[in-house]
């Protein structure tokens, strides 16, 4: 036997570890892809991606490690400008992670009509190698974005830009590298399209501030935000943190790629196209100016809560909210933006007089009945529930999934499709005071499914048969229930 160290004595014998190696499972793959036999096959250190020693540390995610390093460096040096970033963007592991995220988000093809399936048929590794080489050599040129329109709540249409999948992968790779640098600067008041931040957190801040005396709200709306961003100002903001000219050139190319609509190309001299992977990051960088100025100069007026271009300011007094409106307007004017005069308003929450819509919810103060009955005190809570628009949208989607022409189909697939919509909708609104609205949605789903059964039987319907088609009948087929899924946040109260 070969001794493992010079000082090992013969009397020590063979040391048998007590920890079971969890990575040596039988039936695994050989390094060449063959199936391992029951007797076990010896694999070299390069033959597995997990740790070699039992109980060892897991392999380091190189992409995550790079992001943490960039974030830490930016946090330590607020004035630092980063160079040599393009070398990180075209790294194979960065491009691979970018592809996985683009693939997970799915999405349509761009102007080249190349779909995700077509790229997989062509070869993902081959496409990433070509893209990495073009980025490295400086020959990469983005294609125009494909213009599409989606309906807005007011009946108008919102323009949407769809980049090619190749450009989406390149933008995602740039986002993976640039986002940690700017994340180190972003303020707590920003919640939209940021890691580990959500709309629910933004709504919770408002609930807590409402409990602490916030009775006046500036419900702000920026007129045509994505189409009004000044590209020159945006590039100056990017240059405050980026000194790599190749990366700055790449960002300029995306901004100036243009739009293809009805076969006609048009230049984009202003704004960033909605729909691009990197557009939310650029939008946050642009409005970070507002966040920074508010935190350093205006925080005494109230609390700013921003989700991308949608934001509110909650103040204690009417005078404070009016001053907040003036200061916000001044900052936006410096950025070449303006508040929408018709959609921006001041809301008085005291005594439940008024409410406002924010992030799909309607927020309004409500009198606490139990406290009034016990103590005869008027204590108001800021509550939230799905807005009328959110209720219309979910009913429309359910109606689209349950047309009368599906009456002869098996109900189980129909219910599965409805469940996917209802569960996702309920997951978002379940942390508020949506119990009544959840019951309404449950009843609407039941009525739609019952209508399918009535249409199926028609004149063959026997007396009393329709009474069987109630919620227990549909739940036996797998229908989910929203009622009872509310998860209330921490209790907070205030006196109006």
């Amino acid at each position: 036997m070969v001794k493992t160290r010079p000082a090992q004595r013969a009397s020590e014998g063979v040391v048998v570890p007590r920890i079971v190696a969890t990575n040596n499972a039988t039936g695994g793959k050989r390094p060449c892809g063959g199936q391992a036999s029951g007797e076990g096959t010896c694999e070299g250190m390069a033959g597995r991606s997990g740790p070699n020693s039992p109980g060892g540390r897991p392999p380091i995610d190189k992409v995550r490690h790079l992001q943490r390093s960039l974030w830490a460096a930016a946090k330590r040096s607020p004035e630092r400008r980063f160079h040599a970033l393009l070398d990180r963007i075209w790294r194979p592991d960065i491009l691979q992670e970018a592809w996985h995220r683009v693939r997970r988000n799915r999405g349509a093809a761009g102007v080249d009509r190349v779909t995700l399936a077509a790229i997989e048929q062509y070869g993902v590794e081959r496409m990433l190698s070509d893209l990495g080489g073009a980025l490295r050599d400086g020959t990469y040129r983005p294609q125009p974005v494909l213009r599409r329109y989606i309906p807005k709540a007011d009946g108008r249409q919102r323009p949407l830009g769809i980049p090619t999948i190749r450009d989406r992968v390149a933008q995602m790779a740039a986002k993976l590298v640039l986002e940690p640098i700017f994340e180190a600067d972003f303020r707590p008041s920003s919640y939209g399209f940021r890691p580990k931040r959500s709309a629910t957190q933004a709504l919770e801040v408002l609930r807590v501030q409402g409990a602490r005396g916030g009775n006046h709200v500036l419900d702000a709306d920026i007129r045509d935000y994505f189409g009004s961003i000044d590209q020159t100002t945006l590039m100056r903001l990017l240059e405050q943190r980026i000194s790599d000219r190749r990366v700055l050139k790449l960002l300029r190319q995306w901004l100036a790629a243009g739009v293809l609509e009805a076969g006609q190309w048009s230049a984009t001299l202003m704004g960033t196209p909605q729909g691009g992977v990197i557009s939310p990051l650029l939008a946050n960088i642009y409005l970070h100016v507002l966040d920074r100025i508010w935190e350093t100069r205006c925080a005494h007026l109230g609390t700013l809560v921003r989700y991308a271009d949608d934001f509110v300011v909650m103040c204690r007094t009417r005078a404070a909210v009016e001053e907040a409106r003036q200061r916000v307007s001044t900052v936006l004017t410096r950025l070449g933006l303006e508040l929408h005069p018709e959609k921006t308003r001041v809301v008085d929450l005291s005594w439940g007089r008024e409410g406002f819509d924010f992030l799909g919810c309607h927020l309004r103060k409500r009198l606490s009945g139990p406290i009034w009955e016990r103590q005869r005190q008027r204590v108001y809570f800021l509550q939230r529930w799905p807005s009328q628009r959110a209720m219309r949208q979910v009913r429309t989607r359910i109606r689209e999934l349950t047309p009368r022409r599906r009456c002869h189909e098996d109900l189980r697939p129909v219910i599965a499709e409805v469940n996917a919509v209802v569960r996702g909708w309920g997951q978002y609104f379940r942390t508020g005071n949506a119990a009544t609205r959840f019951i309404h949605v449950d009843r609407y789903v039941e009525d739609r499914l019952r209508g399918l059964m009535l249409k199926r039987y028609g004149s063959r319907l026997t007396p009393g048969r329709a009474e069987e088609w109630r919620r227990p009948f549909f739940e036996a087929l797998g229908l989910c229930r929203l009622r009872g899924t509310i998860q209330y946040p921490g209790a907070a109260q205030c006196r109006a």
Side-chain angles (χ1 to χ4, degrees):
M1 182 181 72
V2 179
K3 296 182 180 180
T4 58
R5 62 181 185 272
Q8 183 179 8
R9 297 187 301 270
S11 59
E12 292 178 356
V14 179
V15 179
V16 180
R18 293 185 178 181
I19 303 176
V20 178
T22 58
N23 287 332
N24 297 334
T26 59
K29 297 287 186 179
R30 291 194 184 101
C32 296
Q35 192 71 23
S37 63
E39 293 82 2
T41 302
C42 180
E43 293 184 3
M45 293 182 64
R48 59 175 69 250
S49 60
N52 293 309
S53 59
R57 298 171 63 182
I60 298 176
D61 184 344
K62 293 183 179 180
V63 176
R64 195 75 187 100
H65 178 71
L66 172 64
Q67 290 181 316
R68 290 172 179 171
S69 300
L70 291 171
W71 181 89
K75 201 69 174 177
R76 285 193 304 265
S77 306
E79 304 298 327
R80 177 177 175 179
R81 300 177 68 211
F82 288 78
H83 64 282
L85 292 176
L86 188 64
D87 299 339
R88 274 75 172 176
I89 293 176
W90 57 257
R91 263 175 36 176
D93 56 335
I94 296 290
L95 291 176
Q96 191 70 41
E97 176 64 20
W99 161 256
H100 287 320
R101 298 193 181 194
V102 170
R103 180 70 179 85
R104 186 168 59 244
N105 293 337
R106 295 179 291 182
V111 295
D112 59 357
R113 300 183 180 180
V114 177
T115 62
L116 292 168
I119 289 180
E120 291 175 339
Q121 184 177 3
Y122 174 80
V124 174
E125 296 296 334
R126 182 181 173 187
M127 185 274 291
L128 295 180
S129 177
D130 295 343
L131 177 59
L135 290 169
R136 180 180 61 253
D137 300 336
T139 59
Y140 168 80
R141 296 293 183 272
Q143 295 182 269
V145 298
L146 182 64
R147 174 63 55 84
R148 288 289 183 266
Y149 292 92
I150 56 177
K152 298 176 65 174
D154 55 6
R156 295 183 299 173
Q157 291 186 321
R158 184 191 305 276
L160 187 69
I162 305 176
T164 65
I165 296 175
R166 180 173 179 267
D167 291 337
R168 293 209 292 268
V169 173
Q171 290 185 19
M172 182 65 77
K175 180 176 179 288
L176 290 172
V177 175
L178 299 180
E179 187 176 54
I181 298 173
F182 291 96
E183 270 292 322
D185 298 333
F186 288 162
R187 298 300 195 261
S189 57
S190 174
Y191 293 88
F193 306 103
R194 294 184 57 190
K196 299 182 180 179
R197 289 191 157 245
S198 66
T200 301
Q201 293 174 334
L203 293 167
E204 275 297 282
V205 171
L206 293 176
R207 183 186 66 83
V208 172
Q209 293 303 317
R212 295 175 179 174
N215 284 322
H216 299 273
V217 172
L218 172 63
D219 182 12
D221 184 274
I222 302 177
R223 186 199 293 268
D224 188 22
Y225 172 62
F226 285 92
S228 302
I229 293 177
D230 185 271
Q231 295 182 2
T232 303
T233 303
L234 176 60
M235 291 306 303
R236 284 203 300 265
L237 295 173
L238 290 166
E239 289 169 1
Q240 292 178 2
R241 275 302 201 174
I242 303 173
S243 62
D244 191 330
R245 294 183 179 180
R246 299 170 300 172
V247 174
L248 293 173
K249 177 183 177 181
L250 187 64
L251 293 168
R252 288 192 188 94
Q253 288 177 335
W254 285 327
L255 291 175
V259 174
L260 187 67
E261 181 177 2
Q264 298 293 326
W265 179 86
S266 59
T268 51
L269 303 178
M270 292 286 293
T272 61
Q274 288 183 264
V277 174
I278 204 168
S279 293
L281 175 60
L282 299 180
N284 275 332
I285 292 171
Y286 202 73
L287 279 182
H288 171 65
V289 176
L290 172 64
D291 301 338
R292 186 181 68 247
I293 293 177
W294 186 268
E295 183 178 291
T296 56
R297 304 178 189 177
C298 311
H300 63 282
L301 295 174
T303 301
L304 170 68
V305 177
R306 183 176 66 82
Y307 194 96
D309 62 323
D310 195 5
F311 67 93
V312 298
V313 180
M314 180 171 283
C315 308
R316 288 178 174 269
T317 65
R318 178 80 180 192
V321 76
E322 292 293 349
E323 184 178 353
R325 182 171 187 166
Q326 294 178 1
R327 297 207 181 188
V328 167
S329 180
T330 301
V331 175
L332 294 182
T333 300
R334 288 172 50 188
L335 294 173
L337 305 171
E338 64 172 332
L339 292 174
H340 199 294
E342 299 177 1
K343 297 182 179 180
T344 301
R345 64 192 187 104
V346 173
V347 181
D348 185 2
L349 297 177
S350 57
W351 308 107
R353 289 190 182 98
E354 296 178 313
F356 65 100
D357 291 347
F358 186 58
L359 301 180
C361 294
H362 182 76
L363 293 90
R364 183 185 293 266
K365 287 194 173 184
R366 286 288 181 85
L367 176 68
S368 172
I371 295 178
W372 171 256
E373 292 178 358
R374 292 195 305 265
Q375 305 175 15
R376 292 299 175 183
Q377 293 182 352
R378 292 183 176 273
V379 179
Y380 283 78
F381 294 88
L382 183 62
Q383 298 184 358
R384 65 178 184 265
W385 52 84
S387 64
Q388 293 184 2
R389 177 186 175 187
M391 293 294 291
R392 286 196 302 268
Q393 288 177 337
V394 72
R395 283 195 293 262
T396 299
R397 186 65 183 131
I398 293 170
R399 187 165 58 250
E400 291 172 350
L401 295 175
T402 55
R404 291 295 183 259
R405 65 176 179 271
R406 302 190 69 177
C407 64
H408 295 293
E409 297 183 20
D410 184 1
L411 274 185
R412 290 177 179 84
V414 178
I415 289 175
E417 295 177 19
V418 171
N419 282 346
V421 172
V422 172
R423 282 199 183 105
W425 189 85
Q427 285 282 336
Y428 181 78
F429 291 107
R430 67 177 181 174
T431 57
N433 309 87
T436 302
R437 273 71 183 179
F438 277 15
I439 292 175
H440 292 167
V441 174
D442 281 341
R443 289 176 179 171
Y444 185 75
V445 171
E446 179 183 345
D447 291 342
R448 293 296 301 181
L449 295 176
R450 189 165 180 265
L452 290 182
M453 296 300 295
L454 291 173
K455 180 67 174 178
R456 176 185 296 182
Y457 280 85
S459 60
R460 297 181 290 109
L461 185 65
T462 57
R465 184 67 185 275
E467 296 302 319
E468 301 177 4
W469 300 325
R470 298 296 181 185
R471 174 156 288 273
F473 173 82
F474 299 118
E475 288 184 352
L477 297 177
L479 180 64
C480 69
R481 180 194 295 263
L482 287 180
R483 188 178 64 184
T485 62
I486 296 292
Q487 294 184 353
Y488 291 101
Q493 66 180 30
C494 72
R495 293 172 183 254

